[in-house]
Amino acid sequence: IFYEMWNLRVSPNGALQQQEDNPGNVTLFLNLCCLPPKISRIRVRFMLREQESNATWKCCRDFSYNAARNASFCGWPANTLRTADLHRYRTLKFVADIYIVNMYDDKGKQIDIHHDNLTEIKEDEQIDPGHRMSASPEPSHATAAAAAAGAVAT
């Protein structure tokens, strides 16, 4: 678990994804474990990748606790990395680069993610991604200061 907010889930020979088992595919999911206090959903741009194989997938979507929409997790599509290709690699390193674009309070209002106090922002105001931090399974890639900033995870 990355700062109690995210984790990665990998299955080497398929996993239940959109009503399919995906046999023969390595599946990788980004899971939302919890949202910050007073936040009901976040819009995230992210990239899932495996470094040895260069398997990469990019996506932008909302994450929330809405179970009906499977909104707390998202995984790369079939054929991104095939199970049969795993023998080529001595090690595998799965990484998620995460950029929080928008956050919304429990009433659906967009929150300014650049300040410690939660204030409403203007619709035409651009949101700068801010600081970066790593969401790799290895904690050495992340810093506590960047996590405290809460703006962006890489």
Side-chain angles (χ1 to χ4, degrees):
I1 295 179
F2 178 73
Y3 290 103
E4 298 181 5
M5 189 168 176
W6 303 101
N7 73 13
L8 293 175
R9 182 178 69 191
V10 64
S11 299
N13 193 23
L16 203 58
Q17 178 183 5
Q18 299 176 358
Q19 308 304 321
E20 299 174 17
D21 286 334
N22 269 337
N25 290 284
V26 175
T27 57
L28 179 63
F29 290 90
L30 176 64
N31 294 300
L32 173 69
C33 299
C34 71
L35 289 166
K38 301 181 184 179
I39 301 298
S40 65
R41 86 181 149 97
I42 56 176
R43 173 154 293 253
V44 177
R45 276 191 322 226
F46 63 97
M47 179 171 59
L48 298 177
R49 58 193 163 102
E50 194 290 311
Q51 289 186 323
E52 298 300 316
S53 66
N54 291 320
T56 301
W57 181 67
K58 296 178 184 179
C59 186
C60 182
R61 70 166 288 173
D62 288 351
F63 282 84
S64 71
Y65 296 132
N66 187 339
R69 294 186 173 183
N70 294 328
S72 65
F73 65 93
C74 187
W76 65 20
N79 299 317
T80 304
L81 179 59
R82 304 282 303 162
T83 303
D85 296 334
L86 292 180
H87 72 278
R88 297 180 190 170
Y89 311 107
R90 242 180 108 183
T91 62
L92 297 171
K93 183 174 181 181
F94 296 95
V95 178
D97 297 316
I98 302 167
Y99 304 91
I100 297 175
V101 178
N102 294 321
M103 295 197 316
Y104 300 87
D105 68 14
D106 55 357
K107 295 177 183 167
K109 289 187 179 181
Q110 190 172 338
I111 301 298
D112 183 350
I113 60 175
H114 299 177
H115 305 290
D116 290 335
N117 59 341
L118 298 178
T119 59
E120 189 174 350
I121 65 169
K122 301 176 185 84
E123 280 191 39
D124 61 347
E125 183 178 350
Q126 294 295 315
I127 298 176
D128 180 10
H131 304 312
R132 294 174 48 129
M133 61 186 170
S134 176
S136 126
E138 298 178 11
S140 62
H141 287 87
T143 64
V152 177
T154 319

